[in-house]
Amino acid sequence: MKAAVLTFPGSNCDEDLLWAVKEIARQEATLVPATTTTLAGYDLVLVPGGFSYGDYLRSGAIAKFAPVMTALKTFAANGGYVLGICNGFQILTEAGLLPGALQWNTSLTFVCEPEPLIVANATTAFSNQYTAGQKLSLPIAHGEGNYYADDETLAAIEANDQVVFRYAANPNGSLNDIAGLTNAAGNVMGMMPHPERAVEALLGSTDGLGVFDSLITATKGAAHVAD
Amino acid sequence: MLQTEPTPEQIREHKPYLQLGLTEAEYDLFTARLGRLPNYTEVGLQSGMWSEHCAYKYSKPILKTFWTKNERVLMGPGEGAGVIRIGEGKAVVFKAESHNHPSAVEPYEGAATGIGGIIRDIFSIGAKPVASLDSLAFGNQFTAHNQNLIEQVVAGIGGYGNAIGIPTVGGEIQFDASYQDNPLVNAMCVGVMDEKDIQRGQAAGVGNAIVYVGAKTGRDGINGASFASAQFSKEEDADRSAVQVGDPFMEKLLTDACLQVTHEHQDALVGMQDMGAAGLVSSSAEMASKAGFGMTLDLDLIPQREPGMTPFEIMLSESQERMLLCVRAGYEQEVLDLFAAYDLDAVVCGRVEPGHQYRLLHHGEVVCDIPVSLLTDDVPTYTTVPQQPARLAHPAPDFTPTITDVGATWRALLALPNIASKRHLFQQYDAQVQTNTVIAPGGDAGVIRVRGTHRALAMTADSNGRLLALDPEIGGAITVAEAARNLVATGAEPLGITDCLNYGDPSKPEVYYELQESAKGIVAATKVFNTPVISGNVSLYNETSGVGIHPTPMIGMVGLIEDLEAITTIAFKEAGDQVYLFGKTGDDYNGSSLQYLQTGAYAGRLTGFDLQTEKQTQDTVLAAIRAHLVTAAHDLADGGLAAALVEMGAANRLGIQGTTALTSAQLFAETQGRFIVTVAPAAVAAFEAQVGAAAAHLGVVTTGAITLQLADATIDTTIAELATIQEEALACQLK
Amino acid sequence: MYKAKIFVNYKQSVLDPKAEVIKHTLHRLGQANVRDVKVGKYFEVLLDGAEEAVNAQVETICDQMLANVNMESYRFTLEEVTA
Amino acid sequence: MYKAKIFVNYKQSVLDPKAEVIKHTLHRLGQANVRDVKVGKYFEVLLDGAEEAVNAQVETICDQMLANVNMESYRFTLEEVTA
Ligand SMILES: Nc1ncnc2c1ncn2[C@@H]1O[C@H](COP(=O)(O)OP(=O)(O)O)[C@@H](O)[C@H]1O
Ligand SMILES: [Mg+2]
């Protein structure tokens, strides 16, 4: 698998993702700056956490104007796998690659803690190494992770089985306990919890490895996605 | 603006410098050394550079007594931060800084900019910031104002640290009446670097360029509070504010760019320093002075956020997120291009000159022309004749607790704000970004692994104002010992310390006494633990209406773990593990949480502390951890054994069944130098053989029940009950 | 030159945590007469150009940047100003 | 019942990183005619009571909660509305 890890000014989990994919999952991966205009040749694009452009207006609201986002849309439209984590999830919703939006946690505070999750759908490219109903613990670290979509959109998401992870003890007010979901086509996923922070026993948990292993499985033998 | 500035003669006559914090004697001394009357800009520069913050007028004689060097120290106090060798070619860089006053005035931004400032100190040395800690002290009356203060300070620290992507891995939050009007906000940052990349803040080499980088200079934070009264006299200025706002996004870019310069443009870079207190003047003058050169700056070239700024304002602005570099002549463009790629302002604003004159040009005029040493070296230092405060001369009699219902006392103790878990506050900090955090807040010390080595660093920030109030010397030593104890409990060998000296008005003989005595205690302890002071910061005048805070030196300590397998956490791991107590427990209740619970105050002499005994115990515990004999370890601090057992049981909801000769009261004694460890059954024989009589068997870990047979009582409860109290108490009280 | 005064608000159906907290706090402080609180953002943008062009431009800026139309709505006014 | 329309803005001299990033981005996107951007907060509060009392109450709410008077200033209007 060949992965691109996007990096926007203000991203701060880009190096962590690179480490997880390269050093732990042992896959090819490179950092790709937000000024890049093509993503041809990658199997997977990872949109990392952090505070792109400071997240000053709304999280992800400025990042969507970066040049690489046009390339990302093409990449996704061609069926390439895209995973946005935390700020990456926020960017993908702002860019319209995923439905809904993320607003302030109901506590109005940032929260960093290990979060119990339930695998809602284990048939996606991002979760095929888990089993449905499996309990996981992945770290969260966000202030704006409260998932919102209007009733109609939410119903469509559920009808289409797009929810991949749900919170077991909703920490932020997300509708339907949504912690991670895909687009309708199933090739783009966003999630607030950080799987890349749970890939080494030394750091406390390896529950996040399944996300990367699932993608390796999904892309095995897959031809690189054309631009 | 300009035209309203007083002339040199008017300054002599009307003494506006008094409002800037200078004394008449200091002005006279400056004038005499200069050989002429200084103009308004020059007096402004003097006021910034001769402030306690920059010149350490009162604290220098004290700081001179600190022990600052051993064979591992690569750079001691004097630069942005200190540096210690950790092996495999790597070094650790750390420093702490106080932002007490700004946080009292504007809690969110005050705390946020405190974090921003200390981070710049770390990367100015060339180190990548890898972890932060924060030491906070607030009043114990949870008024609406105080709650807002607590909430906003925590939000500010998180808001900045989380955004810039540096994990906050430890710290402390204390509540005491002494801090009701003078909260303490101390921040510490730790960086890691290759030994070979160490940078200094120096501007050497005639003709080399002075490069200004980062945020534009605005009228924020100019000369602190005096600016407000001195400058905002006109009507239309009422809508002005001198509050400094942090911009973590800018700082993230600045950090990355400056580190890239240090790593990839070593030929070009002569020196680098951050702009902290007294902004542009302190950074530039210090860089010239350290290198023994002169300097000329053209202020028209300084990026400015507002029109019409005077030289005084430009030089003394404390706008955040700015750095000053000295770049070798001919290499300017490659450095400017690098910053341009990060979308950062960078300009050549001056040159290194032969000689020692510090010259500033503004609109084509020379607005300052003085020997640089006048700003950096010729500052008088002051000592006050110390006098022992009356309360220390006549300590209260020793406190003897009476305990009728040990279970009830235990529960009440756990709900005290100082004992209760601070989790709902520190969980607002990202503790894991950079994915190196082995121990996040909640343990005895934060631990991060060092990429590219087989090592880890442990770090802690501790202060004990209430103990220093009872005995500054012993309290100072205890604070260092406690910090070392926290590190040892994780398996680390203490390396060195940074400090923030938070005190009241040093011109008061009693305050000076506290300063001097506590320094004695700190110095003695640092020698015993082999932890030289490599950096630090002084915050004096923490007083309101003439009443000062407890003498509160904050000790930030960093330790080294050479074996990733030997990192030990506080959590009980498995039922059946054996529990041991290191250190003798005495009837030490003066200054304890039990005393506070029962009397509402801390009083009496400090008893039961001996540096050598403490050191021996720490060495024994560390050796046992390094021998892989220990499954959990925790030091005993506030709340003694009673608090420690709950803290160890909480995470996995495991209890203890034990029998001990200790009394109910001794369960709460706060005798120093103690640890609890657990040992897996298979390792018991080896453990007992290695530690001998240093540890006493206390009991065995259970699946949740807590059954303790004390000398005078029996306790039968559960970890679930006790841990819940400790976990929920503070959040309830802060609602 | 025109000054655009832009208001961005949560849509009716979106529960706004910030507004909830403010209302709740005011009630806790005894201000029971506070019936409702709405929290929004207010922007002022100064732009050169002809009115019609500026109007279209502000519309786009709002739509694509200043508001997230999944959960927010916006309105703005234009006012001619001299530098 | 009254509707208070409240505007909170940074005072002069205070750095506003939000506004900087927005302006910078618009320029990067080619909208060079954008001269300046200001970012503020806008609140609407509905309150029961007599005008004078409500006026004083809103003043206090702004002072103590909605605005940080160290660095922000506020202004508001009151408007009588029916439920
Ligand atoms: N402000 C804070 N920031 C980060 N961590 C904190 C803070 N306050 C407390 N903690 C964490 O809570 C735990 C307990 O703190 P404390 O009671 O001060 O420990 P000790 O007495 O052992 O030094 C530690 O892990 C500490 O790092
Ligand atoms: Mg401890």
Side-chain angles (χ1 to χ4, degrees), chain B residues 443-444 482 486 634-635 637:
Chain B
D444 281 329
E482 188 193 342
N486 281 325
H634 187 23
D635 74 295

Side-chain angles (χ1 to χ4, degrees), chain B residues 5 16 77 130 135 199 291 306 331 480 612 620 630 652 683:
Chain B
E5 283 188 355
V130 295
S135 166
Q199 284 306 317
E306 295 177 78
Y331 291 79
V480 176
Q612 294 305 332
T620 312
V630 164
N652 298 319

Side-chain angles (χ1 to χ4, degrees), chain A residues 5-11 31-39 52-53 62-71 91, chain D residues 28:
Chain A
V5 178
L6 301 191
T7 164
F8 299 87
S11 294
L31 285 184
V32 171
T35 45
T36 307
T37 49
T38 171
L39 290 164
S52 51
Y53 304 90
I62 303 289
K64 76 170 178 198
F65 297 105
V68 75
M69 293 305 289
T70 313
I91 293 170
Chain D
R28 192 165 46 80

Side-chain angles (χ1 to χ4, degrees), chain D residues 38-76:
Chain D
K38 284 205 167 66
V39 179
K41 294 175 199 151
Y42 174 68
F43 302 88
E44 279 179 11
V45 181
L46 276 182
L47 315 92
D48 286 320
E51 179 162 5
E52 209 174 322
V54 164
N55 195 75
Q57 186 182 355
V58 172
E59 182 96 31
T60 314
I61 294 176
C62 289
D63 238 23
Q64 300 188 353
M65 188 179 297
L66 301 185
N68 175 347
V69 293
N70 287 326
M71 45 199 281
E72 292 170 332
S73 56
Y74 62 87
R75 64 198 154 84
F76 66 89

Side-chain angles (χ1 to χ4, degrees), chain B residues 105-107 109 218-220 232 236 238-243 245-247 249 305-306 321 343, chain D residues 9-18 20-21 24 28 64-65 68-74:
Chain B
V105 175
E106 167 44 44
E109 296 299 343
R219 289 190 172 99
D220 30 8
F232 289 165
E236 71 254 35
D239 191 40
R240 281 245 204 116
S241 167
V243 169
V245 171
D247 182 352
F249 173 53
R305 208 165 72 224
E306 295 177 78
E321 290 93 21
D343 254 337
Chain D
N9 270 96
Y10 273 128
K11 289 183 183 176
Q12 246 189 65
S13 304
V14 177
L15 171 75
D16 184 356
K18 279 184 205 173
E20 292 295 316
V21 167
H24 191 82
R28 192 165 46 80
Q64 300 188 353
M65 188 179 297
N68 175 347
V69 293
N70 287 326
M71 45 199 281
E72 292 170 332
S73 56
Y74 62 87

